């Protein structure tokens, strides 16, 4: 079956490399496809694949598709035996495409396609909010607008609020998973955290980093969670 995206077979990089060399076309792209990298944090994963123009034209660029690696043992470095290796990375989006074979048409026209996960679209959600800001320096009172229904925000409720702001739908972050089991609540509540004219996902990343945590996307399960940095 090889490597497919949205049901379309990806082109084999080494074959295209030889073709480009024969035609004196640039080969700087070699080493990028076909691959997917999914880091911890709020920044999107990044991947590159090779598709012919005929396949690229049939994709809805506003939709997400699965990237499937279905390979034999001979195609996997260090693998042995006769088993097949199949991994599916779900809900990836096309964010760019570059023609590598200008002048060719149809199936002969190869494109380097850049992929991202939904953190890329989540990163555009704005936030204009502050948390637990005192009415003046040293005061025992707080600006009402920065409180959680007249109560102080805790670290956990603050994280959940930013998570909800980004979005709890399936096309955003999904249901809030709670803080990691091994996470220890700080003795002091959050104070004077202001995110005016900011992006909610970036703000979530800032708060999680302060707590020694990070956002994690499992692109095979298509789910987000919060993990403890340095945890097992």
């Amino acid at each position: 079956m090889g490597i497919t995206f949205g049901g379309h077979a990806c082109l084999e990089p080494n074959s295209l490399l030889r073709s480009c060399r024969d035609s004196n076309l640039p080969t700087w792209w070699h080493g990028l496809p076909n691959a997917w990298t999914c880091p911890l944090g709020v920044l999107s994963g990044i991947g590159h694949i090779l598709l012919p123009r005929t396949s690229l034209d049939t994709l809805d660029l506003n939709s997400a598709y699965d990237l499937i690696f279905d390979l034999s043992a001979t195609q996997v470095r260090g693998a042995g035996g006769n088993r097949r290796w199949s991994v599916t990375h779900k809900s990836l989006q096309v964010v760019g495409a570059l023609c590598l074979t200008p002048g060719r048409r149809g199936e002969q026209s190869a494109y380097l396609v850049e992929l991202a996960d939904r953190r890329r679209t989540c990163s555009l959600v704005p936030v204009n909010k502050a948390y637990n800001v005192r009415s003046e320096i040293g005061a025992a009172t707080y600006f009402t607008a920065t409180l959680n229904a007249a109560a102080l925000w805790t670290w956990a409720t603050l994280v959940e609020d930013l998570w909800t702001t980004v979005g709890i739908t399936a096309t955003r972050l999904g249901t809030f998973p709670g803080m990691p089991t091994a996470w220890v609540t700080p003795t002091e509540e959050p104070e004077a955290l202001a995110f005016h004219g900011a992006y909610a996902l970036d703000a979530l990343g800032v708060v999680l980093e302060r707590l020694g945590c990070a956002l994690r996307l499992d692109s095979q399960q298509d789910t987000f969670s919060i993990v403890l940095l340095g945890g097992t």
Side-chain angles (χ1 to χ4, degrees), residues 77-143:
R77 183 179 299 174
N82 297 318
R83 64 170 292 187
R84 295 195 66 82
W85 300 73
S86 184
V87 176
T88 299
H89 297 285
K90 300 178 180 180
S91 301
L92 305 185
Q93 303 164 332
V94 174
V95 296
L98 176 67
C99 182
L100 300 178
T101 54
R104 300 181 186 178
R105 296 184 178 183
E107 293 185 358
Q108 300 299 317
S109 182
Y111 279 73
L112 179 68
V113 180
E114 183 180 349
L115 306 177
D117 59 60
R118 59 181 185 270
R119 283 174 290 188
R120 186 180 177 99
T121 51
C122 287
S123 68
L124 301 177
V125 178
V127 66
N128 192 39
K129 197 168 185 177
Y131 299 87
N132 297 352
V133 178
R134 295 182 187 269
S135 54
E136 59 181 69
I137 297 176
T141 57
Y142 295 79
F143 288 110

Side-chain angles (χ1 to χ4, degrees), residues 28-53:
W28 59 264
W29 52 266
H30 191 253
L32 291 176
N34 293 304
W36 169 251
T37 301
C38 189
L40 279 179
V42 298
L43 295 179
S44 172
I46 186 170
H48 294 88
I49 57 174
L50 295 173
L51 286 177
R53 177 63 183 266

Side-chain angles (χ1 to χ4, degrees), residues 6-7 20 26 56 69 80-81 91 97 114 135-136 181 205 212 224 226-227:
C20 286
L56 188 58
F69 294 85
S91 301
E114 183 180 349
S135 54
E136 59 181 69
T181 303
F224 282 99
I226 297 172
V227 295

Side-chain angles (χ1 to χ4, degrees), residues 54-198:
T54 50
S55 296
L56 188 58
D57 284 344
T58 65
L59 296 175
D60 179 356
L61 300 185
N62 293 315
S63 297
Y65 299 93
D66 292 350
L67 175 63
I68 302 175
F69 294 85
D70 187 11
L71 307 171
S72 66
T74 58
Q75 295 173 290
V76 179
R77 183 179 299 174
N82 297 318
R83 64 170 292 187
R84 295 195 66 82
W85 300 73
S86 184
V87 176
T88 299
H89 297 285
K90 300 178 180 180
S91 301
L92 305 185
Q93 303 164 332
V94 174
V95 296
L98 176 67
C99 182
L100 300 178
T101 54
R104 300 181 186 178
R105 296 184 178 183
E107 293 185 358
Q108 300 299 317
S109 182
Y111 279 73
L112 179 68
V113 180
E114 183 180 349
L115 306 177
D117 59 60
R118 59 181 185 270
R119 283 174 290 188
R120 186 180 177 99
T121 51
C122 287
S123 68
L124 301 177
V125 178
V127 66
N128 192 39
K129 197 168 185 177
Y131 299 87
N132 297 352
V133 178
R134 295 182 187 269
S135 54
E136 59 181 69
I137 297 176
T141 57
Y142 295 79
F143 288 110
T144 303
T146 70
L147 296 176
N148 182 14
L152 289 175
W153 290 94
T154 66
W155 286 106
T157 57
L158 192 162
V159 170
E160 183 174 8
D161 188 66
L162 287 172
W163 185 289
T164 302
T165 301
V166 176
I168 57 175
T169 63
T171 57
R172 296 286 176 85
L173 296 181
T175 304
F176 179 63
M179 299 301 291
T181 303
W183 176 69
V184 178
T185 304
T187 56
E188 300 291 334
E189 300 294 4
E191 184 167 324
L193 290 175
F195 302 105
H196 295 298

